Amino acid sequence: MAIRNIRTNGDEVLRKQCKNVKEITPRTIKLIKDMAETMYEADGVGLAAPQVGILQRIFVIDVYDDEGLRVFINPEILEVSSSQIGEEGCLSVPGESFEVERANYVKVKAFNEKGQEFILEATELLARAILHENDHLNGKLFIDYVK
């Protein structure tokens, strides 16, 4: 595993659409492990592939809720509801944090690193993290939502 460089705001890769992962290969698994290690090293709760310069629909999250690392490959947001306003930061926008309004509930379908499809319903911090990381896959940053 290796720590990867985190791309920061202004890097054009952060504003691009990511492509679906067609097949989970050993290279995909290495990327996921590197992303997790990079996220933990930077004290983050999530990291998306474009943040390390890879335009694939993958992100990892750990909100320290005893579930450990969650891997999302080709995520699809199925449903969102209600709202929450909270402080948000981003490893790609170092030193900045702002209040951002997000859905308080999200239902997401994705694949894990073993290629198993799952559906997850999440609220509060986990919902915020999923929506934040999913935005990265579509070329959006949390600062786009600051009023």
Side-chain angles (χ1 to χ4, degrees):
M1 294 190 295
I3 304 293
R4 299 208 181 194
N5 290 328
I6 297 174
R7 306 294 182 96
T8 55
N9 189 25
D11 188 318
E12 65 182 35
V13 75
L14 294 173
R15 294 301 186 168
K16 295 191 177 199
Q17 285 279 349
C18 292
K19 296 195 181 324
N20 275 335
V21 175
K22 291 182 176 19
E23 164 182 22
I24 299 171
T25 65
R27 196 170 168 184
T28 309
I29 300 303
K30 178 172 180 4
L31 171 63
I32 290 166
K33 288 178 178 177
D34 288 355
M35 287 171 58
E37 189 173 340
T38 302
M39 176 190 75
Y40 289 127
E41 178 73 18
D43 291 326
V45 297
L47 189 71
Q51 291 180 274
V52 293
I54 307 296
L55 291 173
Q56 292 187 344
R57 296 187 69 78
I58 301 172
F59 61 79
V60 295
I61 289 176
D62 188 342
V63 294
Y64 303 94
D65 62 355
D66 298 326
E67 290 294 322
L69 185 73
R70 291 177 170 97
V71 175
F72 298 78
I73 300 172
N74 298 340
E76 181 183 338
I77 303 298
L78 301 174
E79 188 180 330
V80 295
S81 66
S82 65
S83 71
Q84 61 171 308
I85 296 175
E87 197 79 8
E88 214 167 292
C90 180
L91 296 175
S92 290
V93 187
E96 299 284 337
S97 63
F98 300 99
E99 284 200 341
V100 175
E101 185 172 359
R102 297 253 187 209
N104 194 51
Y105 165 85
V106 65
K107 184 175 185 179
V108 60
K109 177 171 74 171
F111 293 90
N112 66 20
E113 67 278 15
K114 296 175 182 153
Q116 300 162 327
E117 186 176 72
F118 66 92
I119 293 178
L120 176 67
E121 294 181 81
T123 60
E124 299 176 359
L125 178 58
L126 182 55
R128 176 177 294 281
I130 289 167
L131 293 168
H132 176 112
E133 298 309 328
N134 194 70
D135 275 349
H136 278 297
L137 307 183
N138 299 313
K140 290 185 172 182
L141 297 175
F142 86 104
I143 53 177
D144 299 341
Y145 299 102
V146 175
K147 295 182 174 140

